[in-house]
Amino acid sequence: MRVDAVQARRVLVDDAFVPATITLHRGTVASIEPFEHDAEGLVLRAPDSAYVVPGIVDTHVHINEPGRTEWEGFVSATEAAALGGATTLVDMPLNSIPPTTTLAGLRAKQAAASGELMVDVGFWGGAVPGNLGDLEPLWEAGVFGYKCFLSPSGVDEFPPLAPDEFLLALKEVARLDALMIVHAEDAAVLDAAPAAPSRSYRDFVRSRPDGAEVAAITQVLDGARETGARVHVLHLSSARALDAIAAARDEGLPVTVETCPHYLCFAAETIPDAAPQFKCCPPIRDSGNREELWSALRAGIIDAVVSDHSPATAAEKQKGDGDLQQAWGGVSGLQVGFSAVAQEARRRGIGLAQVSRWMSRNTADLVGLTRKGRIAPGADADLAIYDTGVDFRIEATRLAHRNPISAYDGLRYGGRITRSVVRGNAIDVERPDHGWGQQLLRP
């Protein structure tokens, strides 16, 4: 239903929570008034235990449609997003068939998404061997940048870039004033690591060592220095790379960095063996590493927190009967990430306003969506109501994700998203309605 105002005792405005009434007009924020303001029309009133924050802007989501829609799809992914407070997604270019590495691949994505969206969705392009000439047409068609891998992606249709190919792609990215986002694990370091079949999570971590991230991130920073291209390090797992990133920032290199809820919430020593729901690449590391990531977020070395929602079917996740080298890698966390990070932040004395900045404004700014990720006059009326008076007991079978597999299954959080508003449309969680989400193009 379309609402005309949202009223709450705690509304995030300019990094502070204040009592306010947000008036809306044609899908945008018209004004921010005092709480006592007598708004006209349909008013959505949040309970006193709730906080109103900007809708989450999740710039790292694998929706997988078309081609692998049985893993996830636009209907299930955008419903999960809405139920978790994410009002804007940017979809990754791989795991769908065809991948978004050509203009035809982008058009296939857009056709599949038509009429299926509950939230707004944009698209990344892909940089792979042989598609250098496709980058400019994709940019002109409105992708938000390009993703590449420096080691095998796991799917044959999206191969990694060799060092010389990566440098050529960065030169083109710089020419277009575009953005290259990088899965930064070094192929040679991974090849040298022990990777025998094993059900042991400790063995899996050894097969994806810190050195793979450090070497690849060094390559990314060197490439940015040589070409001037803007680069973004995806899903940083290893704190061992933080010193190099901080030095690059001090040098003035155009680099941004993200991490993910699963790296901030879990620790390797507590993950059971033969539990593929926790497998992701790069891996979840130990608790000391986790705390260093939190410190880097506080210090501004890491800019953003995104889900890296990477689902698969039960058959893919359980491949190998517990052998973590065979199971598909990826954590499904789109619907629960904000609640998880908010609680872990609260344990560390970090306020909800900072969590919102990492997951909404900073991600929106990364992709140039300056009307998203903030509550201000003229911004899109994308809002999430987070209620600390409501517990969130996570049951994988009750999440909107297409496949009921989640590392968060069985956990309980003291707070959950109870309502999302997408451009003024308040989503009814009992009767979700698709079709009002829009496809986004780069501004």
Side-chain angles (χ1 to χ4, degrees):
M1 62 179 178
R2 183 172 287 278
V3 296
D4 299 293
V6 176
Q7 189 176 63
R9 294 286 180 185
R10 301 181 186 93
V11 177
L12 185 57
V13 180
D14 295 331
D15 293 323
F17 284 100
V18 297
T21 297
I22 311 165
T23 68
L24 313 180
H25 179 66
R26 294 185 178 178
T28 65
V29 175
S31 65
I32 300 172
E33 305 292 345
F35 177 79
E36 299 80 9
H37 178 75
D38 187 16
E40 297 180 354
L42 184 59
V43 180
L44 179 62
R45 292 181 172 85
D48 288 349
S49 55
Y51 297 77
V52 176
V53 296
I56 297 154
V57 179
D58 193 340
T59 54
H60 194 148
V61 179
H62 295 267
I63 295 177
N64 303 331
E65 187 176 5
R68 290 191 176 96
T69 309
E70 69 274 14
W71 293 22
E72 195 70 280
F74 287 107
V75 169
S76 55
T78 59
E79 183 173 330
L83 296 178
T87 55
T88 302
L89 308 179
V90 187
D91 177 46
M92 284 293 165
L94 73 156
N95 297 348
S96 56
I97 302 174
T100 318
T101 53
T102 64
L103 190 57
L106 174 63
R107 298 301 184 221
K109 275 274 191 186
Q110 292 170 328
S114 179
E116 304 287 358
L117 306 180
M118 188 177 287
V119 303
D120 292 351
V121 177
F123 303 98
W124 293 108
V128 296
N131 86 324
L132 198 63
D134 294 296
L135 301 186
E136 184 170 7
L138 283 167
W139 186 244
E140 292 178 345
V143 299
F144 286 86
Y146 312 97
K147 180 177 185 176
C148 73
F149 280 73
L150 302 182
S151 57
S153 71
V155 292
D156 292 340
E157 66 273 6
F158 204 99
L161 294 175
D164 59 333
E165 294 168 329
F166 177 63
L167 201 58
L168 286 173
L170 280 187
K171 290 177 179 177
E172 180 68 355
V173 167
R175 186 184 72 82
L176 295 170
D177 191 25
L179 175 66
M180 180 71 87
I181 65 175
V182 187
H183 182 121
E185 288 183 287
D186 184 83
V189 175
L190 294 178
D191 287 343
S198 177
R199 297 164 63 88
S200 164
Y201 187 77
R202 182 175 298 181
D203 287 346
F204 172 65
V205 175
R206 288 195 190 102
S207 75
R208 317 289 300 204
D210 295 271
E213 286 191 81
V214 173
I217 288 169
T218 299
Q219 181 185 348
V220 171
L221 298 176
D222 287 345
R225 184 179 295 110
E226 181 171 342
T227 65
R230 292 187 293 129
V231 294
H232 178 73
V233 176
L234 296 169
H235 46 48
L236 180 70
S237 156
S238 175
R240 302 289 79 75
L242 290 170
D243 286 347
I245 292 166
R249 290 280 183 78
D250 290 343
E251 184 184 339
L253 292 183
V255 55
T256 49
V257 184
E258 69 184 36
T259 192
C260 304
H262 41 278
Y263 300 132
L264 299 171
C265 297
F266 301 117
E269 59 266 33
T270 65
I271 294 175
D273 293 339
Q277 65 269 32
F278 293 96
K279 177 186 175 180
C280 54
C281 299
I284 298 164
R285 304 190 190 275
D286 62 45
S287 57
N289 182 91
R290 178 188 63 197
E291 297 313 310
E292 289 188 68
L293 295 179
W294 277 105
S295 295
L297 276 164
R298 287 188 184 99
I301 300 170
I302 299 174
D303 304 273
V305 180
V306 297
S307 71
D308 188 13
H309 178 68
S310 186
T313 61
E316 289 291 333
K317 287 300 284 183
Q318 295 164 4
K319 187 180 292 184
D321 189 27
D323 176 6
L324 297 177
Q325 293 298 333
Q326 294 189 53
W328 179 263
V331 173
S332 296
L334 180 56
Q335 189 172 333
V336 303
F338 184 85
S339 293
V341 174
Q343 177 152 312
E344 291 295 326
R346 190 161 58 246
R347 288 173 179 165
R348 293 164 174 82
I350 300 170
L352 193 63
Q354 182 60 75
V355 173
S356 176
R357 178 170 282 275
W358 290 330
M359 301 186 76
S360 296
R361 180 173 293 216
N362 287 3
T363 45
D365 290 350
L366 173 71
V367 293
L369 290 173
T370 55
R371 291 172 56 92
K372 305 284 189 183
R374 65 213 73 207
I375 300 174
D380 285 353
D382 295 344
L383 309 168
I385 298 177
Y386 174 72
D387 193 345
T388 56
V390 180
D391 278 353
F392 188 8
R393 187 182 184 281
I394 299 168
E395 298 176 50
T397 56
R398 300 184 67 182
L399 297 174
H401 306 160
R402 190 176 182 91
N403 291 279
I405 304 165
S406 176
Y408 301 89
D409 187 38
L411 296 180
R412 185 186 295 273
Y413 294 119
R416 71 176 300 166
I417 299 293
T418 57
R419 206 71 185 260
S420 294
V421 178
V422 181
R423 284 177 291 96
N425 297 295
I427 292 171
D428 186 338
V429 297
E430 301 299 327
R431 294 185 299 167
D433 183 22
H434 293 77
W436 62 41
Q438 294 182 350
Q439 294 188 37
L440 302 175
L441 302 178
R442 175 180 48 81

